[in-house]
Amino acid sequence: MYIIFMGPPGAGKGTQAERVAGELKLEHLAPGDLFRQAVKQESDLGNEVQGYMERGELVPDEITIRIILDKLDDIGDEKGVILDGFPRNYIQAVALDEALEKQNKAIDRVVNIQVEQKELVRRLSSRWLCRECQSPYSSSTADNPCLDGCPGCGGELYQRTDDKPETVARRLEVYYKETAPLIDYYRNQCKLVEVEGEGGVEEITARMIRALE
Ligand code: AMP
């Protein structure tokens, strides 16, 4: 089973993909996580992608497509996969369809998480993450002086460098120009389901799972 989670930056794709993957025993594959890890490790890949990420631009397709297709090969047929943040443009979507088709496979479902732009900017500019478990928190929680690290695992909380206001604006612009057109691409393939992305985290997870059933 191959499922794509789509939605603008700040829609909660990462959080929901992690939760739904846990509930449905699927692999969670996110290029953004792979790139952040590479940057942290200062690997060749990290050095290549860092500038794009800091500017809020997409990493070049040839790099992203190669990494995701290799990972899908590694995962094999044993487990279904949630793709979170891939594809992000038409070239990536076609490359993915073609690669799956060669193996007589296909995307099963695409879930589009809908959130108003005002709410996205609010969420991204107040978002803190745990360095260890990647759980997100809002600044009202993270700035609490009585809090010693992540409430879940005690890890250090930090803000993503690409969550600064000017980069957030660029990421949203890139999303609406490059990624949003894929909504129609998958709607035309009758694979799209829309899910309302505002509300409590658990409530949204339940909506996502219902949408996949
Ligand atoms: P995310 O964690 O999904 O918000 O992604 C963080 C950053 O990683 C993006 O702003 C891009 O620079 C890069 N990135 C993630 N997914 C892709 C993709 N499918 N294509 C190109 N760049 C990507």
Side-chain angles (χ1 to χ4, degrees):
M1 176 154 59
Y2 293 95
I3 299 166
I4 293 172
F5 277 16
M6 277 190 67
K13 290 187 301 298
T15 306
Q16 292 302 331
E18 191 67 46
R19 294 173 60 88
V20 174
E23 292 264 337
L24 302 183
K25 312 267 180 294
L26 301 169
E27 280 290 327
H28 172 200
L29 185 50
D33 288 348
L34 298 175
F35 293 150
R36 270 185 293 281
Q37 198 180 0
V39 169
K40 193 170 153 194
Q41 291 167 343
E42 298 180 11
S43 66
D44 290 347
L45 173 67
N47 293 333
E48 244 178 312
V49 303
Q50 187 168 19
Y52 296 101
M53 295 179 80
E54 282 174 358
R55 291 190 300 275
E57 306 282 345
L58 293 185
V59 168
D61 291 331
E62 61 274 18
I63 300 178
T64 312
I65 291 169
R66 175 174 45 83
I67 288 191
I68 292 299
L69 295 185
D70 283 355
K71 285 276 173 198
L72 286 176
D73 272 348
D74 292 347
I75 295 168
D77 295 336
E78 296 296 299
K79 253 182 148 182
V81 181
I82 296 181
L83 285 158
D84 153 23
F86 184 91
R88 254 174 152 111
N89 62 22
Y90 185 70
I91 292 174
Q92 295 179 7
V94 172
L96 177 62
D97 277 352
E98 287 178 356
L100 292 177
E101 206 176 308
K102 277 192 197 145
Q103 305 174 41
N104 288 323
K105 298 177 186 164
I107 298 296
D108 295 282
R109 196 62 62 89
V110 178
V111 184
N112 183 40
I113 311 179
Q114 295 173 309
V115 176
E116 293 282 332
Q117 179 153 351
K118 229 169 83 189
E119 171 66 8
L120 297 172
V121 175
R122 191 195 65 73
R123 284 188 192 178
L124 290 170
S125 48
S126 67
R127 173 165 76 173
W128 288 67
L129 296 168
C130 170
R131 256 189 225 289
E132 302 305 321
C133 68
Q134 310 305 322
S135 297
Y137 298 98
S138 71
S139 13
S140 56
T141 309
D143 281 344
N144 180 346
C146 304
L147 195 68
D148 188 16
C150 168
C153 75
E156 185 197 355
L157 297 178
Y158 77 107
Q159 279 190 296
R160 272 172 55 167
T161 51
D162 59 351
D163 281 348
K164 330 187 259 264
E166 53 294 6
T167 317
V168 164
R170 180 66 189 137
R171 286 165 65 204
L172 287 169
E173 200 181 329
V174 169
Y175 168 79
Y176 288 111
K177 183 160 171 267
E178 305 249 354
T179 312
L182 295 182
I183 296 172
D184 276 343
Y185 176 80
Y186 290 115
R187 185 179 285 124
N188 291 338
Q189 294 186 10
C190 304
K191 293 184 174 165
L192 189 80
V193 273
E194 307 263 15
V195 170
E196 164 69 54
E198 295 188 39
V201 176
E202 279 117 31
E203 186 189 343
I204 301 168
T205 307
R207 276 184 219 148
M208 307 282 292
I209 290 177
R210 268 201 307 277
L212 290 171
E213 272 165 4

